[in-house]
Amino acid sequence: MAGHFEATPGGGAAVALDEVEIAILRSLAVQLLELIGPGDEPAEGEDPLAALFAEGPSEPPSDPALARLFPEAYGDDDTELRAASAEFRRFTENDLRTRKRDDALVVVRTLDALTPAGDSAAVLTLTADECRSWLGSLNDLRLTIGTRLEVSDEDGGEDGSLYRLPGSDPRKPMVMAYLWLGALQETLVETLMP
């Protein structure tokens, strides 16, 4: 179980994580929450139902990582498609941000509930619903890190440049995190396959 998810009864999964792995995952999830931004809570005295019908932004984010997490729906090749993308974004981005935020919060909360015993790893056991949240967050983390590292399709293969970075390259720690998150994501997906 060390280093990879295994299926548990009831559609969940479990993985053994040491103290350093827990700290890294938690830190990355918190950074993702900060990137996504706070939710729009209704102001005091404001109708909470009004927030359900609030319109989101119509322009794509300027931050490349956020643009990757909240991509254009129809591309931006012509004026008509840009208008359709803006309309789609206006009515969907707030909900998508909320879901991504909720997924990252599940990661933080499940990690906070762990208590590693000395040098031994703690076993993180997730329910089926928590697995789905973890999958979403692992994907969002990899997209964000991949965007920051400017990962392309050519970088990820067995002969890709990510695997050949020298130890002195300042990107090496983030590349290692990117690859590790990919392995976690892959094993979690495998546990959920019928």
Side-chain angles (χ1 to χ4, degrees), residues 85-163:
S85 283
E87 190 76 3
F88 184 81
R89 180 178 300 282
R90 234 179 66 204
F91 293 111
T92 61
E93 187 170 314
N94 286 346
D95 289 340
L96 186 55
R97 279 182 186 267
T98 298
R99 194 191 83 231
K100 290 179 180 300
R101 194 177 301 109
D102 290 347
D103 288 348
L105 282 170
V106 167
V107 171
V108 170
R109 288 179 181 137
T110 55
L111 291 171
D112 284 350
L114 290 178
T115 51
D119 289 338
S120 63
V123 176
L124 172 69
T125 304
L126 302 174
T127 65
D129 286 340
E130 290 169 336
C131 285
R132 285 187 283 282
S133 292
W134 266 76
L135 272 177
S137 248
L138 288 172
N139 187 61
D140 291 343
L141 287 169
R142 289 192 76 242
L143 287 172
T144 301
I145 293 170
T147 301
R148 296 285 191 239
L149 291 170
E150 298 178 347
V151 172
S152 66
D153 290 339
E154 297 81 39
D155 295 329
E158 284 186 30
D159 296 330
S161 62
L162 287 182
Y163 296 99

Side-chain angles (χ1 to χ4, degrees), residues 35-67:
L35 178 67
I36 293 169
D40 293 330
E41 297 295 321
E44 190 174 325
E46 185 181 356
D47 179 8
L49 291 177
L52 292 175
F53 299 103
E55 293 180 3
S58 59
E59 294 296 319
S62 58
D63 181 318
L66 282 174

